[in-house]
Amino acid sequence: MPRPFSRLPEPLAFIRHFTPNWFAMTMGTGVLALVIAHLPWRLPGLALLAEGLWFFAVSLFALFTALFVLRLALFRDTVWPMLLHPVQSMFLGAIPMGLAVLIKGLLLFGVPRWGEGVYALAHALWWLDAALALLGALLVPCLMFTRQHHALEKLTAVWLLPIVAPEVAASTAGALAPHLGAAAAQQLLVAGFVLWGLSLSLAFSLITLVLLRLALHKLPDTDFAATSWLPLGPLATGCLGLLSMGQAAPLAFAGTPLASAAELARDLGLIGGLALWGAGLWWLVIATLFTRHYIRDNMPFNLGWWGFTFPLGVFALATFELQALTGLIFFTLVGVALAIQLAAVWSLVFSRTLAGVWHGELFQAPCLGGPGSPAVSVLSEQTS
């Protein structure tokens, strides 16, 4: 076996070349833990496996946060190229999305272990997550409109990442609200519905552009194979958020002037959730067909492969939620099939990631790729 980090582009590359893409690993690992915890059977060891994966995701998030902070502190000259890069900047949305998944896991695994005091911690973390998600949803599009260079033929679904983060936070609000006092739950749900509407409306606009780009310019290069799955994320998260917030609303707003609206939100949430699940099912089939095409082209591994995991996992969670609300065995069967597929994909991507970390080849930030990188080109134009 070759020496570790034998392919590092430079000393301390794991800090200087650390990119927000790594937080997608937290998202994929965390959502796998949640899916295993929501399986309809209770086999020995499953609960322990789910909890172990969640703790692993928490450790990854802490490690990645430390590396990202070190990059910002020690290599401040790399921040602006990252923000100007038309792909790297999009992955800033993976930071709050990873945190949202961990918060939801905190509700499942933290309370049995540490008691109900966890709810206060989850509440505080949720507002932090919502602020980060909103910041990314505003900052990255502003950079796109004013500083970055984009073209329709280069458009991919990676554009969805910064604007989907508020929607992921909204789905977590629905899970947290039943464990808070009435006033806090009301504030949380109002903020959640606002974030949900902000995110999903923009997501539908971008998905329309993605469909147009696919029709005019066909599939992106194999380096962007995993982006075919990204539109499934906002559809599945939109479904899950509408279901969870709709179920939490009647209790939170009971005895208030909004009580009747909360009841309506619960009923419309189920109808809207079914509609979004149907849209997600279409995209699931299309993304699967796209992936078969990419496999024939021998798509190379990169950190973007973690994009295969989170959309699939959220769709599985939405499927299990629909099964709990409707009692239909159809959703149970589909959810189990999705869970098995997610576990297989996660195992493949995780093993490839470990190999890339061992060699050090994954620590190469495209935004620091030299004179040819888009960000460096923009900086040269601005300073000339």
Side-chain angles (χ1 to χ4, degrees), residues 104 106-108 111 116 118-120 122-123 172-182 184-185 188 248 251-252:
K104 200 163 186 178
L106 185 62
L107 301 176
L108 282 176
V111 175
E116 295 190 356
V118 165
Y119 293 134
H123 189 203
T172 306
L176 177 59
H179 306 291
L180 303 177
L188 199 72
L251 177 62

Side-chain angles (χ1 to χ4, degrees), residues 1-229:
M1 182 177 292
R3 293 182 298 107
F5 305 134
S6 58
R7 300 176 189 170
L8 278 179
E10 60 183 79
L12 292 182
F14 59 94
I15 295 178
R16 186 171 184 270
H17 286 256
F18 181 85
T19 63
N21 306 48
W22 286 95
F23 286 93
M25 186 177 179
T26 300
M27 295 166 57
T29 304
V31 80
L32 176 61
L34 296 178
V35 168
I36 293 176
H38 283 83
L39 286 172
W41 56 72
R42 294 291 180 266
L43 296 179
L46 273 184
L48 188 61
L49 174 61
E51 186 177 14
L53 283 170
W54 178 75
F55 275 112
F56 180 51
V58 172
S59 302
L60 288 175
F61 188 86
L63 173 63
F64 296 158
T65 300
L67 291 174
F68 193 50
V69 170
L70 284 173
R71 174 180 173 174
L72 299 180
L74 300 179
F75 302 101
R76 285 176 290 180
D77 60 306
T78 69
V79 175
W80 194 236
M82 178 189 66
L83 293 177
L84 291 185
H85 196 275
V87 175
Q88 289 295 297
S89 59
M90 303 300 162
F91 282 91
L92 290 172
I95 300 175
M97 283 193 282
L99 179 58
V101 173
L102 298 184
I103 294 172
K104 200 163 186 178
L106 185 62
L107 301 176
L108 282 176
F109 308 114
V111 175
R113 183 172 289 273
W114 299 302
E116 295 190 356
V118 165
Y119 293 134
L121 174 61
H123 189 203
L125 288 175
W126 187 89
W127 285 106
L128 171 63
D129 181 70
L132 291 175
L134 190 58
L135 176 63
L138 294 172
L139 173 64
V140 177
C142 282
L143 291 172
M144 293 173 66
F145 303 153
T146 59
R147 300 298 184 93
Q148 296 176 358
H149 290 179
H150 294 276
L152 181 60
E153 63 270 16
K154 295 183 179 180
L155 163 66
T156 68
V158 76
W159 282 19
L160 288 164
L161 290 177
I163 66 167
V164 172
E167 191 180 330
V168 179
S171 68
T172 306
L176 177 59
H179 306 291
L180 303 177
Q186 292 166 16
Q187 294 173 0
L188 199 72
L189 289 177
V190 169
F193 276 113
V194 170
L195 293 174
W196 183 89
L198 177 154
S199 181
L200 194 62
S201 60
L202 293 173
F204 271 121
S205 300
L206 282 181
I207 290 174
T208 302
L209 291 178
V210 170
L211 289 171
L212 176 64
R213 181 249 183 268
L214 289 172
L216 296 181
H217 301 288
K218 310 313 173 191
L219 293 177
D221 295 336
T222 53
D223 287 339
F224 295 95
T227 63
S228 302
W229 288 80

Side-chain angles (χ1 to χ4, degrees), residues 170-178 185 188-190 192-193 196 237-254 258-273 321 325:
S171 68
T172 306
L176 177 59
L188 199 72
L189 289 177
V190 169
F193 276 113
W196 183 89
T237 309
C239 170
L240 185 60
L242 206 55
L243 293 172
S244 60
M245 289 191 295
Q247 292 299 309
L251 177 62
F253 291 97
L258 293 177
S260 58
E263 297 287 342
L264 184 62
R266 179 193 59 196
D267 299 335
L268 290 180
L270 178 57
I271 297 172
E321 187 71 14
L325 295 176

